[in-house]
Amino acid sequence: MPSYISEVLPGIKYTVIVTVAAFAIGAGLGVPLALMRRSARRAPRALSASVVNLIRSIPPITWLFVIFYGLPSVRITLSAVPAAIVGLGVIAGAYLSEIYRSGLLAVSKGQWEASRALGFNDRDTLVHVIGPQASRVIGPSAATYAIGLLKDSAVASTIGVTEITFRANSAQTVSGHAIALFVTAGAIYLLLSLPLAVVSRNVDRRLRARYSLV
């Protein structure tokens, strides 16, 4: 077993890099998409909904292939790791935008109206009134998505990112010990996911104690 671990362990670096960077991109991209869905104008709402539905309707592996193999045809070339980060980041943005939107919808409309009555502008209302309450819904859901993204990062192996799954698959083609290597890879994914799950529960507990949705 130690030899199996040594074969797979170097892949952790790229699994973590792809997951963290893609989540960061998605967290930023999800904000304008979510706000567009709440726009009073029909055009931004329709555009945002169309973009989110398009991204979510196409399998992640297809997006990675389009970015890694397709973009060079229009003279845009990305190496494997940046291509994986961009592809998974765009996908994360679509999913996180829906998480943000759900969090905003969970807050009573009366909160918006009360803030306007007190003279708050939209930015201050969102940052100081709505955001903290919506975070009760957004935080745990976003953490759950991050755990899913960590596991989904395995798809990056299809374009040559030497992450955990890629390392396990490469090793088993040489040794033939597929079961042991992929069980080892699965155990590593589990160990990486557990801290996120613990953090998610702790954050959820603190937010529930501090904020209430009314």
Side-chain angles (χ1 to χ4, degrees), residues 51-85:
V51 169
V52 169
N53 290 333
L54 173 64
I55 293 172
R56 295 175 65 184
S57 298
I58 298 175
I61 191 172
T62 303
W63 280 117
L64 295 192
F65 284 176
V66 167
I67 293 170
F68 188 66
Y69 296 113
L71 289 184
S73 64
V74 292
R75 298 185 179 182
I76 300 176
T77 302
L78 296 176
S79 60
V81 173
I85 290 172

Side-chain angles (χ1 to χ4, degrees), residues 119-132:
F120 284 30
N121 58 35
D122 288 344
R123 180 184 177 280
D124 289 338
T125 298
L126 186 63
V127 172
H128 300 294
V129 180
I130 306 302

Side-chain angles (χ1 to χ4, degrees), residues 8-211:
V8 180
L9 210 57
I12 292 177
K13 172 184 175 182
Y14 290 104
T15 293
V16 172
I17 288 174
V18 169
T19 301
V20 172
F23 188 85
I25 291 174
L29 182 60
V31 173
L33 288 173
L35 294 178
M36 287 171 66
R37 290 292 294 273
R38 289 190 56 83
S39 174
R41 299 180 179 181
R42 184 176 180 180
R45 292 200 309 270
L47 176 60
S48 177
S50 298
V51 169
V52 169
N53 290 333
L54 173 64
I55 293 172
R56 295 175 65 184
S57 298
I58 298 175
I61 191 172
T62 303
W63 280 117
L64 295 192
F65 284 176
V66 167
I67 293 170
F68 188 66
Y69 296 113
L71 289 184
S73 64
V74 292
R75 298 185 179 182
I76 300 176
T77 302
L78 296 176
S79 60
V81 173
I85 290 172
V86 170
L88 293 176
V90 169
I91 295 169
Y95 280 94
L96 288 172
S97 73
E98 291 297 283
I99 291 174
Y100 295 162
R101 189 168 72 95
S102 297
L104 294 174
L105 290 174
V107 182
S108 169
K109 290 183 179 180
Q111 296 288 312
W112 293 90
E113 295 168 357
S115 297
R116 292 192 185 98
L118 291 172
F120 284 30
N121 58 35
D122 288 344
R123 180 184 177 280
D124 289 338
T125 298
L126 186 63
V127 172
H128 300 294
V129 180
I130 306 302
Q133 296 180 67
S135 63
R136 267 191 52 189
V137 175
I138 295 172
S141 298
T144 300
Y145 179 78
I147 294 172
L149 180 60
L150 173 68
K151 293 179 289 186
D152 290 344
S153 66
V155 75
S157 64
T158 60
I159 59 172
V161 178
T162 56
E163 46 72 69
I164 293 170
T165 300
F166 184 96
R167 296 281 305 189
N169 187 54
S170 297
Q172 71 85 22
T173 59
V174 176
S175 68
H177 299 151
I179 293 179
L181 284 161
F182 285 117
V183 166
T184 300
I188 293 174
Y189 280 116
L190 177 62
L191 291 174
L192 290 175
S193 299
L194 286 176
L196 288 174
V198 172
V199 169
S200 174
R201 285 195 295 270
N202 289 338
V203 169
D204 183 41
R205 184 170 59 251
R206 292 180 181 180
L207 289 174
R208 287 180 181 277
R210 185 170 183 180
Y211 300 111

